[in-house]
Amino acid sequence: MRRHARALVAFALAAGVVAGTTGWVSGDAQQALTGPPPGSAQWRADRALGTGLPDPERAAPADVAEFFAGLSAGERQLLVVRHPSVVGNLDGAPLELRYRANALALAAEDDPRYRSLAAPGRRILAFDPRGRGQVAEVFGDLRTASRVAVVVPGSDNDAGTYDRKAAAHGAPPGMARTLHTAAGPGTAVVAWVGYTTPVGVGIDAATGGLAEAGAGRLTRFTEGLTADGLPGPAVFCHSYGSVVCGLAAHRLRATDLVVLGSPGMRADDVAGLRTRARVWAAKDPTDWIDNVPNVRFAGLGHGTDPTDPAFGARRVPADDARGHAGYFAPGTDSLRTFAAIVRGTATRDGARGPAVARALDGAEALEGTQAPADAQALEGVGR
C-alpha cells in the first residue's frame, strides 16, 4: 500500500512538471558529448617533439599550461598546425594558440552551419563539430582584461544555432556581446556553448543528466582560464544553464554566480551550493519559467526557485525585462546590474547610476542588511 502511494505521488509530481509549461513533451532526448576533443588519438601518438604530449582527457589544465610554457614558439606552432582540433579545445593551452587552432579547424570545416564562425576577427576559444556542435567565443580582449565573465546558456543552443539572428540579445553571442558592451573597457565576456543542451522542453530539460555532464566541462573550462593566468570569472547562467552551474558551483573558481530565468539549481539554498562565490538571481514577471513547478522528486525537476527569499541569493531586479530571453536587453535594470557585477567596481569608481543603485540596494535589503557605503558595496567578491 505504501509503495502504491509513493508511486502515485511520484506520478503526480512528474505530471506537474510535465504540464508546467506549454510543449514540455516536445523535446528530443540527447546524448551528452563527453570525453576529449576530436583528434585526441593522433595527439597521444605524436612524438614529433621527442616526448609524449599531455593527455587531453586526464591532464589537469594547470599541467597543460605548464607544458606549453616550456615550449618554444616554433614547437607551439607545430602543435597548432598538426593538431588544431586538440589545441583549440585544450583547457590550459594559451588562448592565443587556441584562437589560431580553431581558425584552422573552422577553415577546414565543410559544414555550412559553421561558415559564419570562420569570419576574420572572431575569437573562437573552443570549437567541436561533433554531434550538434559546441563553441565558445570571446568578446573583448581576454588576455588584458582585469574582469572576466562567462555566459552559460540553456536549451536549444549548439554550434549550429549559435549565430542565429533571432533574439539578438537572447542568443549566446548576443548575451555576451551586450554584457561586454555594458560592462565596458577592461572586461571580456565568453559565450560558452560547451555542453550538450536539451532540445525543446522535454524530459532532458526536466532532469539533470545533461547538466551533470555539462558541469564537468564548465569546471574544466574555467580551470583552463585561471591556469592561463586569467582572472576568475563571474559566471552568468541562463535557464537550464543554471542547473549546470548549480551542479558545478562547488568546483567553479568564480567570483560570482548569476542565474536568470532559472528552473532551479538542484540545491535547496545558497549554502547547498557549497560555493564561495556570491550568488545572484533574476526572474522577470513575464518569464514563462515561473510556470515550471519548483520540485525535485525521483530525478525530475530542479528544486527551489533561486529568486525565492528563502534560497538566500542576492536579488537582481528584472521588472523591466520581458520574457525568458529578455534579461540582457539594452536599457534594462538587469543588464545594468549584470554589468556592475562583471566590473566589480560599480561603487568603488563612483559610477553607480540610479538603476544599479536600486539593484544593489534590493540585494542588500533581501539580506536584511543596511546599504553599505559606495566603497564597500561590492566588498568580498569571491569570498
Side-chain angles (χ1 to χ4, degrees):
M1 183 68 179
R2 182 176 299 176
R3 182 179 302 173
H4 179 66
R6 289 181 64 182
L8 287 176
V9 170
F11 176 81
L13 284 171
V17 171
V18 170
T21 183
T22 303
W24 188 275
V25 295
S26 65
D28 297 323
Q30 301 294 302
Q31 183 67 40
L33 178 62
T34 59
S40 290
Q42 294 86 345
W43 168 275
R44 290 183 177 116
D46 195 328
R47 294 295 183 272
L49 299 185
T51 184
L53 305 178
D55 191 299
E57 187 171 19
R58 296 180 177 85
D63 294 332
V64 172
E66 183 178 0
F67 169 79
F68 276 95
L71 300 181
S72 68
E75 289 171 330
R76 292 182 178 194
Q77 182 60 25
L78 179 65
L79 292 181
V80 168
V81 172
R82 289 171 68 90
H83 306 284
S85 293
V86 174
V87 176
N89 293 284
L90 192 56
D91 296 314
L95 63 92
E96 296 83 1
L97 295 186
R98 295 180 68 170
Y99 292 156
R100 200 177 312 152
N102 286 315
L104 291 175
L106 282 161
E109 181 59 52
D110 292 329
D111 194 325
R113 295 180 302 164
Y114 307 137
R115 195 165 294 146
S116 62
L117 294 174
R122 299 190 75 165
R123 295 170 170 172
I124 305 300
L125 191 56
F127 171 66
D128 189 335
R130 295 176 298 174
R132 288 161 47 210
Q134 298 180 359
V135 64
E137 183 176 15
V138 176
F139 296 84
D141 189 338
L142 189 55
R143 177 58 72 198
T144 63
S146 59
R147 304 285 298 190
V148 173
V150 175
V151 175
V152 181
S155 298
D156 299 310
N157 286 291
D158 51 53
T161 64
Y162 179 82
D163 273 340
R164 64 187 183 274
K165 300 302 180 184
H169 55 261
M175 293 179 184
R177 186 180 297 108
T178 56
L179 180 57
H180 176 247
T181 299
T187 67
V189 182
V190 183
W192 184 80
V193 189
Y195 77 107
T196 303
T197 68
V199 172
V201 279
I203 195 66
D204 282 340
T207 54
L210 295 181
E212 285 277 6
R217 296 177 79 84
L218 176 62
T219 299
R220 188 174 178 87
F221 178 77
T222 57
E223 287 176 351
L225 297 180
T226 56
D228 194 25
L230 304 174
V235 183
F236 291 77
C237 319
H238 181 234
S239 195
Y240 190 82
S242 67
V243 186
V244 176
C245 291
L247 293 172
H250 66 288
R251 295 173 285 170
L252 284 180
R253 298 177 182 179
T255 59
D256 297 82
L257 281 179
V258 189
V259 299
L260 40 142
S262 173
M265 300 182 74
R266 300 228 146 199
D268 294 331
D269 50 30
V270 166
L273 295 173
R274 295 178 291 150
T275 179
R276 298 180 67 189
R278 296 187 307 176
V279 181
W280 306 74
K283 182 171 64 176
D284 77 60
T286 64
D287 191 335
W288 60 257
I289 203 73
D290 208 28
N291 296 324
V292 175
N294 290 112
V295 298
R296 185 154 57 106
F297 187 85
L300 287 170
H302 305 301
T304 307
D305 178 356
T307 63
D308 186 327
F311 190 80
R314 300 175 179 227
R315 186 71 180 266
V316 174
D319 287 348
D320 57 351
R322 291 293 176 265
H324 191 55
Y327 296 93
F328 289 88
T332 55
D333 284 351
S334 51
L335 179 60
R336 292 189 185 99
T337 308
F338 295 162
I341 294 169
V342 174
R343 289 193 301 266
T345 56
T347 56
R348 284 200 302 272
D349 64 9
R352 177 173 174 169
V356 174
R358 291 196 302 272
L360 295 176
D361 289 344
E364 290 147 6
L366 173 62
E367 295 178 324
T369 61
Q370 190 172 7
D374 281 354
Q376 298 172 331
L378 290 180
E379 185 178 320
V381 171
R383 290 188 303 185

